[in-house]
Amino acid sequence: MVLNKQDCQLIAQIQDGLPLTSRPYGEVGRRIGLSEDQVIHRVKALQAAGIIKRMGVVVRHHELGYTANAMVVWDVPDHQVDEVGARLGARDCVTLCYRRPRRLPDWPYNLFCMIHGRRRERVLEYIDQLVITEQLGEVPRKVLFSGRRFKQRGARYQ
Amino acid sequence: MDETDRAIINRLQDGFPISDRPFQAVAGELGIDEGTLIERLQRMLDTGLLSRFGPMFHAERLGGALSLCAMRIPETEFDRVATQVNAFPEVAHNYARDHAFNMWFVLATETSERMASVLGEIADVTGFPVYDMPKEEEFFVGLRFDV
């Protein structure tokens, strides 16, 4: 999808959030000189093209009681990493799962997944279960719990 | 946070309609009125239970770049370095973690060129190397928190 000038104006207008008003797309259109129908049409197109991944809310998981937040990193042989990643990503307790480059010799891990929970003990149980059911006992791994959070905000692109 | 707030959060993690009266549509599903939904959303944003309401963009498809970065910082230097790193507007969030690599942050830049330069600037300002690990593959997950 090629973005035109109006799309860029639209993205700039909504990237910090939608207006909390009865007709939010109409209100956005009023600010940038488009009709409500035009805004709805373009936002749908942006979502269909995957430029908008989803619409909705982002929770501050910490404030909602999900205070135990583990990044589990694995050193999976390259020829198996995509298959293992797909399996881990399909598990309910895994909230994010990515393949990333190793940074040898300091950092040998190439598969990262996030597991959030209300208590550290529970998160460790989830990880033990994952290791058993996905047969990952031989795969080197590390569990990095988060400590202090210094900053959380959405990314801005324009 | 009461049952209605929980229902709103759970529902809006699964999407938001792109239509002329989207709040009315969601409120109808939840059995509340439109004004109540808007009011409660505003309050949860104001109090920080929710960090965003609206579209989540795909950074790379907008021409931007994202990377997860890690640093190994001695305990005595940690607060100084955290302050210096967080001063970069490209740092989206930053967590301490219990590992030799003890500082982990996400960088989001408008262009891939800016990513390369901001990585160098952070290393220069802090005096420590930055290990950047941009995603190579994203495995499907449904990131949501049942509340």
Side-chain angles (χ1 to χ4, degrees), chain A residues 98-123:
Chain A
Y98 297 112
R99 174 161 60 83
R100 299 182 182 279
R102 295 184 178 88
R103 293 298 183 220
L104 298 172
D106 301 321
W107 183 261
Y109 305 101
N110 60 341
L111 186 64
F112 291 55
C113 60
M114 297 300 306
I115 300 181
H116 293 83
R118 295 178 191 276
R119 288 184 310 116
R120 187 176 282 230
E121 300 72 35
R122 187 74 189 100
V123 170

Side-chain angles (χ1 to χ4, degrees), chain B residues 17-39:
Chain B
I18 307 170
S19 58
D20 58 351
R21 296 287 297 273
F23 291 106
Q24 188 183 55
V26 171
E29 287 175 35
L30 297 175
I32 57 179
D33 64 53
E34 185 184 34
T36 304
L37 173 59
I38 291 174
E39 215 170 88

Side-chain angles (χ1 to χ4, degrees), chain B residues 117-135:
Chain B
S117 59
V118 77
L119 286 167
E121 287 169 27
I122 292 173
D124 286 346
V125 169
T126 61
F128 292 97
V130 180
Y131 295 75
D132 77 308
M133 295 175 257
K135 76 177 176 205

Side-chain angles (χ1 to χ4, degrees), chain A residues 3 11 14-25 36 39-41 43-44 46-47 49-61 63-64 66 69-71 73 81-83 85-86 88-91 94-101 103 106-107 109 111-112 114 116 118 120 142-158, chain B residues 1 6 8-9 12-24 34 38 41-42 45 47-59 61-62 64-68 72 75 78-79 82 85-99 101-104 108-110 131-147:
Chain A
L3 298 179
I11 291 167
I14 62 177
Q15 72 162 347
D16 287 330
L18 282 179
L20 288 167
T21 175
S22 178
R23 306 184 80 105
Y25 304 105
E36 182 177 58
V39 171
I40 287 172
H41 177 76
V43 171
K44 281 183 177 170
L46 290 169
Q47 184 156 18
I51 291 170
I52 291 176
K53 287 194 285 192
R54 74 179 175 90
M55 304 280 293
V57 294
V58 178
V59 303
R60 285 192 204 271
H61 50 80
E63 279 73 356
L64 288 170
Y66 287 85
N69 146 357
M71 183 170 76
V73 295
V81 64
D82 286 345
E83 180 257 324
L88 289 181
R91 298 292 303 258
V94 173
T95 47
L96 292 168
C97 189
Y98 297 112
R99 174 161 60 83
R100 299 182 182 279
R103 293 298 183 220
D106 301 321
W107 183 261
Y109 305 101
L111 186 64
F112 291 55
M114 297 300 306
H116 293 83
R118 295 178 191 276
R120 187 176 282 230
K142 279 273 184 283
V143 178
L144 284 71
F145 276 99
S146 65
R148 287 178 291 164
R149 178 185 65 191
F150 300 106
K151 197 167 178 180
Q152 183 185 0
R153 66 158 183 78
R156 293 183 57 92
Y157 306 111
Q158 291 193 333
Chain B
M1 193 168 62
R6 291 175 207 279
I8 291 170
I9 294 172
L12 290 181
Q13 288 184 84
D14 290 332
F16 186 69
I18 307 170
S19 58
D20 58 351
R21 296 287 297 273
F23 291 106
Q24 188 183 55
E34 185 184 34
I38 291 174
L41 258 181
Q42 183 69 63
L45 286 161
T47 58
L49 271 182
L50 303 177
S51 63
R52 278 178 76 82
F53 165 68
M56 269 35 92
F57 286 101
H58 190 301
R61 288 188 196 163
L62 277 178
L66 272 178
S67 192
L68 177 68
R72 281 190 289 202
E75 204 47 51
F78 196 90
D79 287 345
V85 168
N86 293 345
F88 283 84
E90 292 87 353
V91 174
H93 45 73
N94 188 357
Y95 284 92
R97 292 192 181 275
D98 54 355
H99 186 269
F101 283 89
N102 52 357
M103 185 181 295
W104 290 82
T109 60
E110 285 183 22
Y131 295 75
D132 77 308
M133 295 175 257
K135 76 177 176 205
E136 295 177 326
E137 188 70 51
E138 177 171 356
F139 302 103
F140 176 79
V141 292
L143 174 58
R144 76 195 301 287
F145 295 92
D146 278 314
V147 297

